[in-house]
């Protein structure tokens, strides 16, 4: 017996300034995964696009591990597992490539084995594998998500803004692992910094919900992670300033970086070129892409 499933999963931008480990947005950049399960054969993994030649193609592959986690959970075994990834999400740049890989593996395996797991169970499994919920929630549910850990269980709320919002992402050519980007963070922060972030993340969610994007200039400010990660992304403040000078509402580090993301409803090219130029002035080669919010989240396409 053999089964084939194809899923499409969006990339994501997490944190969105002050919403460290809590806020995420699904973006219109995708990874497509084909899963083939058979009673005969072995493990075979092929990668096309971003990550070709870099992503492991053996049992260390995170998609395979996600597929296997579902098979173990539902008590199924397949001798032959074939995975083919067509990936457009840059790796280790803060656009949720590993969350998309994990979510793709979980959803494809769940669909292939009769959809016995709910979306919430998939969310919980993905959070355990990824380590935090803020990238996996938008990858699964689409839109803008707020995630909270309630003991060991992730809880989420998803919404779409009243008006559409575009995102211009400046992608520097260097990688930054989330592990490295978390190592520079302090163990504790001051009450003053906590209040700074609490007030801004509240403003951020209100502004996004209501489409009052002019608030983003202040609502994207952060004192919990960005100031510490600045040393890892040369030119970060200059790129933010360049984006705002060309009309962006505001800008932030995308996830753990190193991508920088500006929020706007117009002038994407003008903003993107200015961001790339500001990076270049700091000797960082970069390119930019313009994205909008993915509404659907992960879905089975075949
Ligand atoms: N919230 C995470 C971080 C996002 O900033 O470290 C990366 O997964």
């Amino acid at each position: 017996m053999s089964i084939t499933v194809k899923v499409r999963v969006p990339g994501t931008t997490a944190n969105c300034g002050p919403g460290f480990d809590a806020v995420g947005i699904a973006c219109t950049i995708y990874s497509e995964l084909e899963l083939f399960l058979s009673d005969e054969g072995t493990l075979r993994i092929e990668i096309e696009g971003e990550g070709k030649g870099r992503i492991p193609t053996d049992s260390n592959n995170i998609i395979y591990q996600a597929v296997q986690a579902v098979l173990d959970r539902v008590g199924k075994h397949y001798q032959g597992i074939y995975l083919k990834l067509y990936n457009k999400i840059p790796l280790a740049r803060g656009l949720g490539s590993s969350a998309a890989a994990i979510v793709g593996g979980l959803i494809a395996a769940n669909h292939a084995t009769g959809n016995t797991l709910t979306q919430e169970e998939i969310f919980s499994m993905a959070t355990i594998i990824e380590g935090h919920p803020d990238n996996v929630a938008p990858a699964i549910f689409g839109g803008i998500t707020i995630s909270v850990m309630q003991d060991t269980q992730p809880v989420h709320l998803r919404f779409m803004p009243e008006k559409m919002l575009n995102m211009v992402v400046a992608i520097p050519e260097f990688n930054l692992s989330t592990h490295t980007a978390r190592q520079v963070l302090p163990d504790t922060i001051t009450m003053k910094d906590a209040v700074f972030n609490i007030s801004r993340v509240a403003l951020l969610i209100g502004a996004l919900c209501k489409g009052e994007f002019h608030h983003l200039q202040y609502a994207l400010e952060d004192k919990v992670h960005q100031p510490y990660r600045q040393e890892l992304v040369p030119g970060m403040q200059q790129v933010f300033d360049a984006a705002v000078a060309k009309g962006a509402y505001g800008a932030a580090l995308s996830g753990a970086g190193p991508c920088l993301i500006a929020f706007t409803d117009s002038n994407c090219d003008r903003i993107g070129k200015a961001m790339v130029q500001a990076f270049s002035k700091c000797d960082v080669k970069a390119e930019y892409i313009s994205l909008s919010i993915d509404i659907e989240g992960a879905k089975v396409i075949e």
Side-chain angles (χ1 to χ4, degrees), residues 12-17 19-23 94-96 98-99 130-136 177-179 181-183 185 225 229 253-257:
T12 53
T13 182
N15 300 329
C16 305
F20 181 67
D21 276 0
V23 179
L95 284 173
S98 63
E130 169 69 4
H132 9 84
D134 51 341
N135 274 318
V136 294
S177 75
T178 301
H179 178 71
R182 290 185 90 86
Q183 275 184 327
L185 303 181
H225 69 111
R229 289 171 164 175
L253 187 66
S254 184

Side-chain angles (χ1 to χ4, degrees), residues 15-255:
N15 300 329
C16 305
F20 181 67
D21 276 0
V23 179
I25 304 179
C27 303
T28 50
I29 184 166
Y30 299 95
S31 164
E32 282 184 10
L33 172 71
E34 214 173 305
L35 170 67
F36 177 81
L37 297 174
S38 167
D39 290 332
E40 290 166 11
T42 52
L43 172 63
R44 194 154 68 88
I45 301 173
E46 275 182 62
I47 314 286
E48 289 297 333
E50 296 284 337
K52 186 182 166 108
R54 287 176 55 207
I55 297 175
T57 52
D58 57 16
S59 59
N60 291 312
N61 182 287
I62 199 163
I63 306 170
Y64 163 72
Q65 290 172 356
V67 168
Q68 200 54 58
V70 170
L71 297 181
D72 290 346
R73 170 106 172 228
V74 302
K76 302 241 168 149
H77 176 76
Y78 290 91
Q79 198 68 33
I81 298 181
Y82 171 55
L83 294 168
K84 176 136 193 191
L85 181 72
Y86 308 82
N87 183 31
K88 291 199 175 142
I89 308 170
L91 250 52
R93 306 294 171 83
L95 284 173
S97 61
S98 63
I102 294 163
V103 166
L106 295 174
I107 289 185
N110 187 38
H111 194 78
T113 53
N115 267 324
T116 50
L117 302 175
T118 64
Q119 273 199 322
E120 294 304 328
E121 285 170 320
I122 296 282
F123 180 33
S124 179
M125 290 176 77
T127 301
I128 291 168
I129 301 172
E130 169 69 4
H132 9 84
D134 51 341
N135 274 318
V136 294
I140 296 171
F141 303 108
I144 302 176
T145 56
I146 304 159
S147 304
V148 173
M149 290 306 292
Q150 188 64 32
D151 296 324
T152 55
Q153 279 308 306
V155 176
H156 84 283
L157 182 151
R158 176 205 179 277
F159 67 94
M160 281 296 291
E162 269 188 21
K163 288 188 254 165
M164 208 48 197
L165 185 63
N166 293 316
M167 293 163 285
V168 184
V169 188
I171 310 173
E173 67 173 1
F174 66 92
N175 301 326
L176 178 58
S177 75
T178 301
H179 178 71
T180 305
R182 290 185 90 86
Q183 275 184 327
V184 297
L185 303 181
D187 290 334
T188 56
I189 57 166
T190 62
M191 177 64 87
K192 200 170 156 210
D193 286 352
V195 171
F196 184 97
N197 267 56
I198 290 165
S199 56
R200 274 156 187 80
V201 81
L203 185 64
L204 173 69
I205 297 305
L208 289 172
C209 271
K210 297 191 74 177
E212 294 192 17
F213 300 139
H214 62 279
H215 287 299
L216 294 184
Q217 185 182 354
Y218 304 111
L220 287 167
E221 289 178 333
D222 159 69
K223 286 204 191 274
V224 169
H225 69 111
Q226 291 185 178
Y228 305 100
R229 289 171 164 175
Q230 199 155 1
E231 65 183 82
L232 302 173
V233 187
M236 188 163 113
Q237 191 57 50
Q238 291 90 323
V239 175
F240 290 170
D241 292 344
V244 171
K246 294 295 176 192
Y249 290 116
L253 187 66
S254 184

